[in-house]
Amino acid sequence: MQVAIDGPASAGKSTVAKIVAKKLSFIYIDTGAMYRACTVIAKRHGLDYGDEVAILRAVRQDGIEFKTGDGEQKVYSAGEDISLEIRTPEISAHVSQVSALKSIREEMVEMQRKMSGEMNVIMDGRDIGTTVLPNAEVKIFLVASARSRAQRRLLDFKQRGIETTQTVDEIEADIAARDYKDSHRAISPLKKAADAIEIDTTEMTIEQVVERILSEIEKKL
Ligand code: CDP
Ligand code: CDP
């Protein structure tokens, strides 16, 4: 069974995907974390965020790995835990540029398909239902108002212990800019798959979203 969860920034994809994965003992794959890791690698190598060839080389050299520690999924590159760094505003500001690079997308999509293999998997991102897992049995497209997504993101920073000087207005502007870039890029842009179920989570709790997705999965089991 493959479950694809797509949608704009901060719609709640990873939060609900993790809970659903735990309840059903599915493997959870956070594809956004992989593009964020590519961006951290580019930064650490002092590369231009548009330098496709050099970034791909650096990504292959350093690698991207998921490991479970303290009950949390952690992201490692070149042997170092980069789980906090991938969430910083600087990385968020540049990730859409890196994720639009053709060879980076090809490399990540190949890794994502390999990681899912023959297992039951729930994967979240932007192009899962359209490109990575086009035959997924369940496809969900999560949306929420830009304001509520910005408020959730600010709260999320506090909970994760990431310090920020950004106001909710600034976060909302950043999110809107990233959504625009992600939706307008040439290769596999953010788009609802024709057979995806759209859920507007603006007025929903996490538990309600989880229940709704579980009921869609049950229908297919
Ligand atoms: O958590 P948030 O919604 O802010 O973003 P994310 O899921 O961590 O994804 C970060 C960025 O990676 C997105 O803004 C996209 O540019 C890129 N991304 C992508 O291009 N394709 C995916 N399947 C997942 C993420
Ligand atoms: O993965 P994505 O960027 O789509 O969003 P997220 O990082 O899972 O969610 C952003 C924040 O929204 C998290 O702090 C969640 O606790 C919160 N939230 C939610 O995910 N769903 C709701 N219905 C309400 C709040």
Side-chain angles (χ1 to χ4, degrees):
M1 161 83 80
Q2 293 180 328
V3 180
I5 305 198
D6 291 298
S10 251
K13 302 180 294 297
S14 57
T15 304
V16 297
K18 270 183 216 160
I19 300 172
V20 171
K22 203 165 177 194
K23 284 194 185 229
L24 300 177
S25 299
F26 279 25
I27 288 183
Y28 164 60
I29 301 172
D30 178 354
T31 66
M34 296 167 72
Y35 293 99
R36 287 175 177 275
C38 292
T39 311
V40 167
I41 293 168
K43 184 185 166 224
R44 291 189 165 196
H45 285 254
L47 302 172
D48 186 292
Y49 292 115
D51 191 342
E52 188 164 2
V53 175
I55 297 175
L56 183 63
R57 196 186 306 125
V59 166
R60 284 184 175 160
Q61 187 186 317
D62 290 0
I64 299 168
E65 245 188 306
F66 286 109
K67 292 185 193 174
T68 308
D70 314 329
E72 280 258 342
Q73 218 176 56
K74 307 246 179 202
V75 189
Y76 280 74
S77 181
E80 207 179 318
D81 183 354
I82 57 167
S83 314
L84 278 183
E85 192 178 352
I86 64 169
R87 308 280 163 204
T88 56
E90 188 188 341
I91 296 305
S92 296
H94 297 287
V95 61
S96 292
Q97 190 182 349
V98 173
S99 75
L101 303 173
K102 185 166 180 278
S103 55
I104 296 293
R105 294 208 74 81
E106 286 169 355
E107 185 90 354
M108 293 305 115
V109 170
E110 199 188 320
M111 277 173 70
Q112 289 152 15
R113 289 187 182 140
K114 266 195 202 139
M115 286 162 79
S116 58
E118 301 294 307
M119 320 268 231
N120 288 327
V121 66
I122 180 161
M123 204 183 275
D124 86 311
R126 302 293 186 286
D127 59 341
I128 311 306
T130 55
T131 307
V132 183
L133 304 175
N135 299 319
E137 285 90 341
V138 178
K139 296 183 186 178
I140 306 288
F141 197 77
L142 284 189
V143 297
S145 75
R147 192 66 179 178
S148 66
R149 290 187 284 126
Q151 282 162 342
R152 290 175 186 178
R153 183 49 56 98
L154 191 58
L155 200 67
D156 200 48
F157 279 152
K158 285 186 191 150
Q159 284 165 352
R160 287 181 201 255
I162 296 175
E163 284 186 30
T164 178
T165 52
Q166 282 189 303
T167 64
V168 70
D169 286 331
E170 286 164 346
I171 295 175
E172 188 176 337
D174 282 357
I175 285 178
R178 192 145 57 88
D179 288 345
Y180 185 87
K181 284 186 209 148
D182 291 343
S183 315
H184 290 82
R185 69 174 175 234
I187 312 152
S188 46
L190 165 65
K191 191 170 167 258
K192 178 175 170 283
D195 51 349
I197 300 153
E198 182 166 319
I199 306 174
D200 186 334
T201 74
T202 308
E203 304 289 343
M204 290 171 83
T205 64
I206 293 168
E207 292 71 27
Q208 287 171 326
V209 183
V210 168
E211 281 311 312
R212 177 71 204 286
I213 294 174
L214 285 174
S215 78
E216 296 298 337
I217 295 172
E218 269 157 29
K219 281 188 211 164
K220 305 277 177 172
L221 279 173

